Every structure is written in C-alpha cells, then in structure tokens.
C-alpha cells in the first residue's frame, strides 16, 4: 500500500460512483411522505461507515428521522474529533426548472448535479472517504473520531437538539468538524467562524368569516390583506433596520478588530451582484455589504397567501390571509426572546377589526467560534496543502443550528471547513457540487486529521 493521499486519488472514480448512489435517495426531511426514503439514506450511510472501518455504527431512532453514529476510538491520548453533517435534503421543487432530474445525479463539465450534492451529502461524504483512506492504508487513525449525522437539519434539527444534552458522554470530543458551508471561490478556501441564528414565524389574520364583495363591504369591514401589508411594512424600514422594539438590545457590537477583519474579506461585489441578478445591493447604510450579509441580524418575508391569485381580476375582501417570515440573528440574540418580541409588537400593531395570530416556529442560536484555537491552524494548513491557498476566515449568513449546541452542551468549538461554492445553487433548482472540491476536500480532511494527530 501507498499512503492515504495516493490511495484516495486512485479511488476517485469509486468515490464518485458511491456519492451518486447516495444522491439517488430522495431524503427530503420536511415531507412526511419521504419518511421511508429518509430512513433509507440513514441506512445507506451507516453501511458505508461500517465498510470504511468505523465501529459502533448505530442508527438511532428519534421522534422524526434517525441519527447515524459511528466511531473509531483507538488513538489513545490524541484528540477526539466529532464529525457532523446532515443526510437530509431540501425539497426539489420547482421540478420544471431542473436541467436533469434532482434525484438522477448527472455529471456535466466538472459538476455533479443533484439535490443534496453540495448541501450536504457530498460534503459529509468527503470525511467518510478521508477516514476510510487513512484506515485502509495505515490500519489506524491519528486521532479518535466520532461521526454524528442527522436527517432533520433542513427542517429545524429538533431531534438532534434534544439528543445532545441527553448524550453528552457519547458525543464528548475535543472539537467538532463540520463541512456544510461554502468557500469564497474555487481558488479561495474559507473557514467560517460565525453563523447566524434563526427565528421563524407565521402570521395568520382572520377578518370576516367568509370572503366578502368589496363593493358591498369595502370601506366598512377591514380587509385582512391590507392589514397584513400594514404589519409587514412596519417590521422593517426602507434601509433594512428591523423595527421590532428590543430587537437589537442584545446584539453584540462589532469590535473594531472584527470590522477590520471583515473589511479584508475578498468579496468581488460586482460578481456577487451579477450572480443574484438584482439591480443593486441594498441594506443598512452604516454597515458594509460583508457585515450586512453575515454579521448583522435581519428580517425577511418568505411567502404571503391570501385573496384571489388566479388570472384576471376579482373584487373580494379575503376572509383569511397568511405570511411566513424569519429573522436571521447574531450573537447574543436569543431566538425564543426574539419570537416573544415579534409577537408582542404585532399584537400592538393589530387593529381590533381583525384577529391576528403569530405562531413562532423553529429557531436556532447564532454562533461565533474562537479561531485562535490550535485546530484552526491545523485546518488552515490542511487547506493550504490541498488547495495551494491559505483559507480566509469569514462569517456566514446561513444557519447550522447544531454548532451552538456543541458549544453550550459539549463545550466544544467547531471548525467549519466548507467545500461548497457560492454558485452551487443550494436549496434551488440545479444544485451542484464542484467535483475537484470533492476530491480536494477528501485530501484536506486527510491532512487535517493528520495535522491534529
Ligand atoms: N448548509 C446550509 C447552511 C448554509 C447556507 C451554509 C448558506 C452556507 C451558505 C444549511 O443546510 C441550511 O440551509 N440551514 C438552514 C437552517 C434552518 C432550517 C434552521 C438555513 O440556514 O436556512
Ligand atoms: Zn446544509
């Protein structure tokens, strides 16, 4: 045998074929009718972990989708690394916009197209193959390793959130390793040290008991859809400041040191804007674009249901209307408190002429990792070896709920080593994974585990 890196290079074709198998399974956690497929993805992954040489492989049932656990704990005093990922994926709709079907993985140019290819099956599989390459060559790992892979990340992650505080011994580690983020570009790796949190809420408004003719009743009965518009308009001002009283009270101010670091982030603003197709960037004027995207909290409306939305005109006062909103949060905002503040504020805005109800859904805490820990140096060095480029440290605007749970319940920091690209179209049609990053990711993971050991 050779060494793990050579071995991994020789097996790239096998790794790709296996990943394609994994991606064929439509493990959409939010859709109850996909429960069996979601379980099948857990079983598939458990089998691969066992074949890779991991031990104590377990499929752990939960209230919803199972957790997959495996470990290899024969490295004595060396550190223990807890590797986390998720095997569930987002819904694939709208299906008509996919160039090849979402669950028939297809390679075009250097990309593998499939739902979950980048978020997160491809990225979690990087570490399975890295561990396997080391074990098959050396017969042992340089560190102790535990895998915990969940099937509910895309729909709130509640089962793992409940499992962690009950199983701190089983999950005890010196650090966590997560690949569920993106690099800056194919040439520029990134280590994420900050993630935003989340508070999701539903607004339901009921006015008259049935739809009313707007000629007979308009002007005399309040229209729930107009009220919804008023409420939404008061959640945020034109410059992007959230207007909920108390919303910013706990926001940890950005230190001058951090603003300096963020100012060095190599964001190509023109290319970034072109990717979105929007006419110009927007947001809080006193913060830079990089700060607005990762280090500032925000609020967005995701959907409005109400009234007549078919073709042509109809004159109606709708009886019931609904909106979905979420707030992205930063340290030290508390998602439960933010939910209460939103409820209280909307209750104040709601006129007595309609019934307004706010239901707070899932939430997640934001996290900031101390990047002065030795593991960060080991990660930076691993990227430099595999990609020929030192990573930048960045804050990410998306959320990975488990990271703050690892901090608060296990006392471990997480190294967020992403191999996605900003153009991977995660959560959208034509999600893809850049295959050179799959292979370099495996090498980065091998170097990282060796550097740690
Ligand atoms: N992989 C993403 C997080 C992410 C998004 C990383 C964008 C890098 C760039 C993750 O799977 C995700 O989408 N998380 C949800 C969490 C929510 C359901 C609590 C999110 O951010 O919306
Ligand atoms: Zn993800």
């Amino acid at each position: 045998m050779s060494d793990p890196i050579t071995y991994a290079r020789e097996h790239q074709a096998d790794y790709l074929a296996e990943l394609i198998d994994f991606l064929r399974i439509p493990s959409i956690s939010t859709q109850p009718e996909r429960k069996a497929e979601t379980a099948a993805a857990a079983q598939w992954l458990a089998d691969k972990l066992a074949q890779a040489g991991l031990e104590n492989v377990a499929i752990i049932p939960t209230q919803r989708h199972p957790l997959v656990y495996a470990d290899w704990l024969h490295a004595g005093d060396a550190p223990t690394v807890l590797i986390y990922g998720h095997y569930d994926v987002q819904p694939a709709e709208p299906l008509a916009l996919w160039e090849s079907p979402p669950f028939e993985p297809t390679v075009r140019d250097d990309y593998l197209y499939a739902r979950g290819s980048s978020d997160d099956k491809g990225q979690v599989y990087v570490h399975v193959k890295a561990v396997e390459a080391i074990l098959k060559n050396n017969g042992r790992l340089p560190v102790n390793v535990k895998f915990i892979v969940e099937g509910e990340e895309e729909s709130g992650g509640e089962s793992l959130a409940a499992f962690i505080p009950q199983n701190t011994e089983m999950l005890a580690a010196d650090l966590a390793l997560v690949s569920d983020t993106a690099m800056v570009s194919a040439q520029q790796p990134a280590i994420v040290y900050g993630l935003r949190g989340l508070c999701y809420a539903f607004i339901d408004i009921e006015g008259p008991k049935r739809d009313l003719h707007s000629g007979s009743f308009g002007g005399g009965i309040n229209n729930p859809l107009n009220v919804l518009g008023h409420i939404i308009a008061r959640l945020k001002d034109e410059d992007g400041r959230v207007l909920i009283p108390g919303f910013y009270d706990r926001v940890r101010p950005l230190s001058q040191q951090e603003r300096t670091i963020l100012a060095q982030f190599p964001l190509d603003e023109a290319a970034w804007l072109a990717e979105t197709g929007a006419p110009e960037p927007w947001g809080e004027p006193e913060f830079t674009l990089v700060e607005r995207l990762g280090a500032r909290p925000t609020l967005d409306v995701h959907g409005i249901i109400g009234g007549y939305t078919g073709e042509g005109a109809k004159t109606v006062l709708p009886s019931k209307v609904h909106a979905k909103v979420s707030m992205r949060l930063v340290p030290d905002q508390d998602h439960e408190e933010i939910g209460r503040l939103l409820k209280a504020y909307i209750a104040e805005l709601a006129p007595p002429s309609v019934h307004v109800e706010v239901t707070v859904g899932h939430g997640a805490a934001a996290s900031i990792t101390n990047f002065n820990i030795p593991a960060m140096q080991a990660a930076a060095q691993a990227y430099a070896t595999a990609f020929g480029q030192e990573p930048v440290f960045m804050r990410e605007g998306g959320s990975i709920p488990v990271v703050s749970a690892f901090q608060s319940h296990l006392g471990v920091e997480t190294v967020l080593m992403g191999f996605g690209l900003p153009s991977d179209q995660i959560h959208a049609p034509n999600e893809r994974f850049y295959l050179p990053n799959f292979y370099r990711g495996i090498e980065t993971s091998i170097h990282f585990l060796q550097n740690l050991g």
Side-chain angles (χ1 to χ4, degrees):
M1 289 252 177
S2 46
D3 65 287
I5 296 285
T6 312
Y7 178 91
R9 286 186 184 161
E10 285 166 2
H11 287 78
Q12 287 180 354
D14 301 332
Y15 298 169
L16 174 59
E18 291 164 21
L19 177 56
I20 286 174
D21 264 358
F22 194 14
L23 290 167
R24 278 190 220 282
I25 310 171
S27 45
I28 306 166
S29 59
T30 201
Q31 297 177 343
E33 67 272 24
R34 296 298 197 178
K35 196 170 170 56
E37 284 98 335
T38 306
Q43 183 65 58
W44 186 95
L45 186 63
D47 291 345
K48 290 295 183 242
L49 286 162
Q51 286 162 23
L54 286 140
E55 301 170 352
N56 299 310
V57 179
I59 295 178
I60 304 165
T62 72
Q63 295 274 314
R64 289 184 62 213
H65 302 297
L67 299 166
V68 179
Y69 176 87
D71 63 29
W72 190 93
L73 302 173
H74 307 291
D77 289 342
T80 300
V81 184
L82 178 64
I83 302 177
Y84 161 87
H86 60 95
Y87 66 81
D88 66 321
V89 303
Q90 285 272 317
E93 284 78 5
L95 298 177
L97 297 185
W98 285 79
E99 277 174 43
S100 49
F103 299 106
E104 290 175 29
T106 307
V107 177
R108 286 197 295 279
D109 302 323
D110 272 335
Y111 294 92
L112 176 58
Y113 287 82
R115 170 59 83 232
S117 53
S118 172
D119 184 12
D120 181 42
K121 286 173 173 170
Q123 296 207 54
V124 74
Y125 209 53
V126 157
H127 300 295
V128 180
K129 294 294 103 174
V131 164
E132 178 182 85
I134 305 175
L135 276 174
K136 296 262 148 108
N137 275 274
N138 304 350
R140 59 188 319 281
L141 296 175
V143 290
N144 301 298
V145 165
K146 297 176 178 178
F147 275 88
I148 185 81
V149 187
E150 71 164 312
E152 278 174 38
E153 197 273 351
E154 300 291 7
S155 53
E158 269 115 2
S159 295
L160 180 56
F163 185 82
I164 292 171
Q166 307 290 322
N167 294 276
T168 53
E169 199 62 37
M170 176 186 195
L171 301 175
D174 297 293
L175 80 142
L177 172 60
V178 175
S179 294
D180 194 17
T181 53
M183 313 206 313
V184 176
S185 68
Q187 292 75 41
Q188 180 58 66
I191 295 176
V192 169
Y193 70 91
L195 289 161
R196 285 197 284 197
L198 186 82
C199 173
Y200 206 102
F202 304 87
I203 306 172
D204 301 291
I205 306 184
E206 187 172 356
K209 67 180 181 199
R210 57 179 168 82
D211 289 4
L212 300 174
H213 189 290
S214 70
S216 314
F217 295 93
I221 291 291
N222 207 352
N223 179 338
L225 206 40
N226 290 43
V227 174
L228 183 59
H230 271 278
I231 289 176
I232 288 172
R234 280 161 183 74
L235 295 178
K236 212 171 166 181
D237 74 11
E238 277 104 341
D239 285 330
R241 287 180 208 93
V242 177
L243 299 174
I244 302 167
F247 183 79
Y248 292 101
D249 285 2
R250 290 188 201 274
V251 172
R252 196 189 300 170
L254 284 176
S255 67
Q256 202 44 57
Q257 187 203 3
E258 196 175 0
R259 296 194 83 169
T260 307
I261 293 168
L262 292 171
Q264 288 159 6
F265 181 75
L267 179 72
D268 179 341
E269 212 170 302
W272 173 85
L273 187 65
E275 179 81 31
T276 70
E280 60 174 34
W282 173 87
E284 294 177 287
E286 60 273 41
F287 293 94
T288 66
L289 184 56
V290 170
E291 290 168 350
R292 290 176 211 163
L293 291 171
R296 291 290 297 165
T298 189
L299 178 151
D300 279 287
V301 181
H302 306 299
I304 295 180
I305 307 165
Y308 176 68
T309 54
E311 217 170 302
K314 185 183 181 196
T315 45
V316 68
L317 305 182
S319 161
K320 290 178 183 159
V321 305
H322 316 273
K324 299 169 198 263
V325 304
S326 86
M327 291 154 283
R328 293 282 171 177
L329 310 176
V330 299
D332 298 309
Q333 288 175 300
D334 169 18
H335 64 91
E336 288 176 7
E337 180 181 31
I338 292 292
R340 288 194 294 272
L341 293 175
L342 175 77
K343 268 181 111 118
Y345 179 51
I346 292 182
E348 215 173 275
L349 296 175
S353 47
V354 295
H355 299 289
V356 179
E357 199 172 309
V358 176
T359 311
V360 176
H362 58 273
S367 62
I368 289 277
T369 305
N370 170 11
F371 57 78
N372 295 317
I373 55 173
M376 290 292 180
Q377 292 320 307
Q381 213 175 30
Y383 267 121
T385 312
F387 282 83
Q389 176 69 37
E390 289 275 342
V392 294
F393 287 88
M394 64 178 277
R395 284 175 75 152
E396 166 58 55
S399 310
I400 304 176
V402 78
V403 173
S404 70
F406 285 163
Q407 274 176 333
S408 53
H409 297 290
L410 303 179
V412 301
E413 297 288 359
T414 298
V415 177
L416 286 146
M417 205 184 229
F419 301 112
L421 291 179
S423 54
D424 280 349
Q425 303 172 153
I426 65 170
H427 296 205
N430 304 306
E431 177 178 350
R432 62 188 191 176
F433 193 27
Y434 185 52
L435 286 172
N437 278 16
F438 178 47
Y439 307 129
R440 280 183 209 130
I442 294 169
E443 294 180 20
T444 309
S445 176
I446 292 171
H447 290 304
F448 177 60
L449 297 174
Q450 287 176 337
N451 292 347
L452 275 178

